[in-house]
Amino acid sequence: MEIAYIPSPSRGVYELFGVIPLRGYAFCIIIGVFVAVWLGNRRWIARGGRPGTVADIAVWAVPFGLVGGRLYHVITDYQLYFSEGQDWVDAFKIWEGGLGIWGAIAFGAVGAWIGCRSRGIPLPAWADALAPGIALAQAIGRWGNWFNQELYGRETDLPWALHITSSTDGRVPGYYHPTFLYESLWCIGVAVLVIWADRRFKLGHGRAFALYVAAYCAGRFWIEAMRVDEAHHFLGMRLNEWTSIVVFLLAVLYIVLSARRRPGREEVVEPVASDGDTDDDGAAVTLDKKSEDEDSVDKDSVGKKSDAETSEDEKETAEADSGSSEPETADSSSSAEAKDEAESAKKA
């Protein structure tokens, strides 16, 4: 008896006004990118950066990430596009699903490095600011798999089972573990973990980003083991399970070595902003500062001029007083001599 389940969309493409196709997969990715940039911008400003810098660098990182994610998927699942009976042109149909997070992060980092280098910004600091946003972007993007009815797990009778109704591309209708939902919830937890750890331990020099990578890999390992879609296997495990293990170890190693060599957090993440070129809201204050300096110079000049004028006035007054006292002295002497002569004449 069916008690409860998660229904799948009847289709993944909707027509706007009957003309413009709106694809659920692409829509989820776009929303995820906007959320990542929005949160990354807030964190970047909090670290002393300028508003808009995260978006400017994302212009480089996002296209590189999409290309890298698609390349990883096509290379690791080449049989879907280049085997007999398959059309290689489908490799370019990114809207039908198929992005490898490993390739997306690797190539996205290359694009971000180009953008950071052009601005003189350290890539690790930018990555730290963006790390929780990337995790949230993945959480939102995974719902694109729900629209496409793909990447589900083994069959189950749990009340949150995903009901697959499509029978295309080898799918078998039934009830399966919603691995897209598991990974979405896990990524939300990773974002919360990184934000908490960053505030608690003041992570810097790329360690917040490395924590995101390690935490994501830990979840991706057990979620990947539940999936039933076609994949390459090595020593009994799926390729992405091995990738999760290797990347997890590298991320943990980076955290340990970075903490020893460069403890603490960067004091300056964007040189221009640290020189006082922007206020809390990101508005330019260079001209205001210049005006204040000019006003200060003018006031000092006026003050000095006023002091000089006062000193000169005092000097003139002193000279005037000095000149007027000499005639008075002379007049007094003449009067005394005249009086003495008058008295001498009387005696005679």
Side-chain angles (χ1 to χ4, degrees):
M1 178 178 179
E2 297 179 3
I3 300 177
Y5 61 86
I6 300 174
S8 293
S10 59
R11 53 179 176 167
V13 183
Y14 300 86
E15 300 291 336
L16 182 63
F17 306 117
V19 179
I20 304 174
L22 295 179
R23 304 181 183 278
Y25 186 85
F27 185 72
C28 290
I29 292 177
I30 292 173
I31 295 299
V33 170
F34 274 102
V35 170
V37 172
W38 169 77
L39 181 58
N41 184 64
R42 288 176 59 97
R43 287 171 52 80
W44 183 253
I45 295 174
R47 286 175 175 246
R50 302 175 65 183
T53 297
V54 169
D56 292 342
I57 297 176
V59 171
W60 287 93
V62 172
F64 272 76
L66 291 175
V67 172
R70 188 60 176 177
L71 280 175
Y72 181 89
H73 167 72
V74 171
I75 292 173
T76 56
D77 292 308
Y78 62 87
Q79 72 281 355
L80 300 177
Y81 308 100
F82 302 105
S83 61
E84 185 178 355
Q86 302 296 332
D87 187 359
W88 63 271
V89 177
D90 292 341
F92 298 95
K93 297 179 180 180
I94 191 173
W95 56 86
E96 293 184 353
L99 288 176
I101 186 61
W102 318 109
I105 294 298
F107 273 64
V110 174
W113 175 79
I114 295 174
C116 288
R117 184 177 176 81
S118 65
R119 288 174 168 266
I121 294 172
L123 176 60
W126 186 85
D128 282 343
L130 205 66
I134 296 177
L136 290 180
Q138 288 179 251
I140 297 171
R142 273 307 177 197
W143 284 87
N145 301 130
W146 176 65
F147 279 100
N148 287 352
Q149 295 197 36
E150 59 184 1
L151 306 187
Y152 44 86
R154 297 184 297 271
E155 286 190 286
T156 181
D157 57 357
L158 292 171
W160 56 82
L162 175 66
H163 187 197
I164 296 297
T165 59
S166 174
S167 58
T168 60
D169 297 331
R171 296 185 182 91
V172 178
Y175 300 89
Y176 301 88
H177 278 285
T179 52
F180 84 91
L181 178 61
Y182 298 160
E183 186 167 338
S184 180
L185 294 176
W186 182 270
C187 287
I188 293 174
V190 170
V192 173
L193 171 65
V194 173
I195 292 174
W196 171 81
D198 193 26
R199 292 178 178 176
R200 175 66 176 82
F201 303 105
K202 302 297 182 183
L203 302 177
H205 302 287
R207 289 188 288 277
F209 183 81
L211 176 61
Y212 143 73
V213 172
Y216 171 75
C217 289
R220 180 61 183 269
F221 178 80
W222 65 266
I223 294 173
E224 187 72 23
M226 299 178 66
R227 285 169 49 171
V228 295
D229 54 301
E230 186 177 356
H232 296 288
H233 288 74
F234 296 97
L235 300 178
M237 291 197 304
R238 295 164 64 96
L239 174 62
N240 282 330
E241 290 182 84
W242 286 108
T243 305
S244 297
I245 294 173
V246 173
V247 177
F248 172 83
L249 293 176
L250 291 176
V252 172
L253 180 63
Y254 179 86
I255 293 173
V256 174
L257 296 180
S258 176
R260 291 179 179 178
R261 296 183 59 184
R262 308 181 71 180
R265 180 184 288 176
E266 299 91 341
E267 295 183 359
V268 177
V269 295
E270 193 166 2
V272 176
S274 66
D275 292 336
D277 290 339
T278 57
D279 58 10
D280 293 338
D281 296 328
V285 298
T286 304
L287 296 179
D288 294 339
K289 184 177 180 181
K290 183 177 180 181
S291 299
E292 292 176 0
D293 294 340
E294 291 177 351
D295 292 342
S296 177
V297 172
D298 292 341
K299 290 179 180 179
D300 292 341
S301 300
V302 172
K304 291 179 180 178
K305 183 176 179 180
S306 177
D307 293 341
E309 290 177 352
T310 302
S311 300
E312 191 162 343
D313 291 342
E314 291 177 352
K315 183 178 180 181
E316 291 176 356
T317 303
E319 290 177 353
D321 293 341
S322 174
S324 61
S325 63
E326 289 178 359
E328 289 177 359
T329 303
D331 292 341
S332 299
S333 300
S334 300
S335 299
E337 291 177 358
K339 187 175 181 181
D340 292 340
E341 290 179 356
E343 290 180 355
S344 301
K346 288 180 180 180
K347 290 180 180 181

